[in-house]
């Protein structure tokens, strides 16, 4: 089907508009991180009168950003790994086995995505407080508690998407593995997972991005010792001043791991999302 000229012009206009709409905020963020503070606080200019990398140096001293970076990396990585492991087994069971309550479980998992995350904040906080009171296990203000919190809203989507992806993998692969002497576990690990690599990458990227940039739960569930980057960026605003140039510089640095990871795994991410979405 050949594209008509009006459709082509419309497509170019829309793509150009969306590109400008996306690029301008990123440009402002990058260029503001290269300005002296007085230039950022003054009248806006598209190009700084003085280019300086001092904000990128000062941001590490103004706020313990390196410590927050480590906290975010640990929490996001562990939450991603656990979410991926649990989602693999749960979604494989949904896709390959018939068991009592299968439809109810699948519906319940998917329905949790209909609720805003803020509704889970108070219940989770009270559960963690009661666990500490009754069992002496401290979860509020710890990385462990934050990891468990992130699992509550990354797992449902991960299970749903992987189940759809596993449905698209021919069952003949499982049967061929059984003929070769593989049990269910070995067939999953050696045959199904390599075929499901795009779906696994998509789930991993989603879980990591969700944990890396989350603010609300991290603000409540962390203390000064284990703050994450998303919360730590707020500390550049003090009672006497707001270091806008350092906030912009820190935002650029914080975005680098996500951007690099997405660019490296972009093909697998898109393929995984597409395959999981049509099932």
């Amino acid at each position: 089907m050949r594209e008509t000229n009006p459709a082509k012009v419309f497509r170019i206009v829309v793509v150009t508009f969306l590109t400008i709409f996306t690029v301008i905020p990123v440009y402002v963020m990058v260029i503001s991180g290269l300005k002296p503070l007085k230039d950022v606080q003054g009248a806006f200019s598209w190009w700084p009168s003085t280019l300086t990398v001092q904000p990128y140096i000062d941001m590490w001293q103004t706020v313990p950003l390196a410590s927050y970076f480590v906290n975010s990396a640990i929490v996001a990585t562990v939450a991603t790994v656990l979410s991926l492991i649990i989602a693999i087994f749960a979604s494989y069971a949904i896709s390959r086995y018939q068991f009592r309550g299968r439809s109810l479980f699948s519906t319940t998992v998917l329905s949790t995505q209909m609720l805003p995350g803020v509704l889970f904040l108070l219940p989770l906080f009270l559960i963690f407080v009661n666990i500490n009171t009754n069992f002496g296990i401290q979860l509020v203000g710890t990385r462990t508690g934050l990891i468990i919190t992130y699992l509550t809203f990354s797992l449902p989507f991960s299970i749903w998407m992987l189940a759809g992806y596993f449905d698209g993998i021919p069952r003949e692969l499982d049967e061929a593995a059984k003929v070769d002497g593989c049990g269910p576990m070995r067939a999953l690990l050696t045959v199904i997972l390599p075929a499901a690599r795009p779906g696994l990458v998509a789930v991993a990227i989603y879980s990591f991005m969700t944990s890396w940039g989350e603010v609300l739960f991290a603000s409540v569930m962390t203390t000064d010792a284990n703050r994450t980057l998303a919360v730590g960026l707020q500390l550049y605003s003090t009672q006497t001043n707001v270091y806008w140039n350092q906030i912009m510089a820190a935002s650029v640095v914080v975005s680098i791991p996500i951007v690099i990871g997405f660019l490296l795994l972009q093909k697998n991410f898109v393929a995984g999302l597409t395959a999981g979405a049509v099932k």
Side-chain angles (χ1 to χ4, degrees):
M1 185 175 180
R2 189 173 181 179
E3 185 180 29
T4 62
N5 288 333
K8 184 177 180 180
V9 171
F10 177 76
R11 176 175 57 82
I12 294 175
V13 170
V14 170
V15 171
T16 302
F17 173 77
L18 293 177
T19 301
I20 295 174
F21 187 78
T22 304
V23 169
I24 286 180
V26 177
Y27 170 79
V28 172
M29 180 178 69
V30 173
I31 208 66
S32 297
L34 296 172
K35 293 180 179 180
L37 182 59
K38 59 182 180 63
D39 286 2
V40 181
Q41 292 176 332
F44 176 76
S45 61
W46 289 100
W47 188 255
S49 58
T50 304
L51 281 174
T52 176
V53 295
Q54 194 62 39
Y56 285 89
I57 299 174
D58 294 339
M59 68 180 186
W60 303 99
Q61 284 77 41
T62 305
V63 168
L65 194 65
S67 175
Y68 300 155
F69 201 102
V70 172
N71 290 334
S72 288
I74 293 174
V75 170
T77 301
V78 175
T80 299
V81 172
L82 291 178
S83 179
L84 193 59
I85 292 174
I86 298 173
I88 285 173
F89 291 106
S91 57
Y92 185 72
I94 294 173
S95 174
R96 291 298 194 263
Y97 297 100
Q98 297 293 330
F99 53 89
R100 182 177 298 178
R102 176 178 177 271
S103 298
L104 178 62
F105 175 76
S106 302
T107 304
T108 302
V109 166
L110 184 58
S111 63
T112 59
Q113 297 299 294
M114 301 170 59
L115 303 174
V118 67
L119 292 181
F120 299 102
L121 180 59
L122 182 58
L124 277 173
F125 183 81
L126 294 177
I127 290 172
F128 288 170
V129 170
N130 287 327
I131 289 176
N132 184 32
T133 302
N134 297 322
F135 302 100
I137 301 175
Q138 179 67 32
L139 293 176
V140 177
T142 65
R143 293 173 181 166
T144 303
L146 195 57
I147 291 170
I148 295 174
T149 300
Y150 288 160
L151 286 176
T152 61
F153 48 81
S154 65
L155 262 179
F157 177 83
S158 301
I159 292 173
W160 171 72
M161 188 166 68
L162 273 184
Y165 200 92
F166 285 150
D167 285 342
I169 298 176
R171 294 177 181 270
E172 288 77 8
L173 289 179
D174 302 68
E175 297 172 358
K178 292 178 182 178
V179 171
D180 291 337
C182 293
M185 181 64 69
R186 187 177 178 186
L188 171 63
L189 297 178
T190 60
V191 178
I192 304 302
L193 290 187
R197 185 176 64 177
L200 299 178
V201 171
V203 168
I205 292 178
Y206 167 80
S207 299
F208 190 87
M209 290 175 63
T210 301
S211 303
W212 186 264
E214 200 281 325
V215 177
L216 177 62
F217 287 86
S219 300
V220 177
M221 298 293 185
T222 59
T223 62
D224 293 342
N226 46 47
R227 279 196 180 100
T228 58
L229 283 170
V231 180
L233 290 178
Q234 302 175 17
L235 300 182
Y236 287 103
S237 176
T238 65
Q239 294 181 350
T240 59
N241 204 353
V242 180
Y243 299 97
W244 289 110
N245 55 345
Q246 295 184 39
I247 293 177
M248 296 297 102
S251 299
V252 172
V253 173
V254 169
S255 303
I256 289 176
I258 296 296
V259 172
I260 293 177
F262 182 81
L263 291 177
L264 292 176
L265 303 172
Q266 181 180 9
K267 291 183 179 180
N268 286 329
F269 180 68
V270 174
L273 282 179
T274 304
V278 299
K279 302 301 177 186

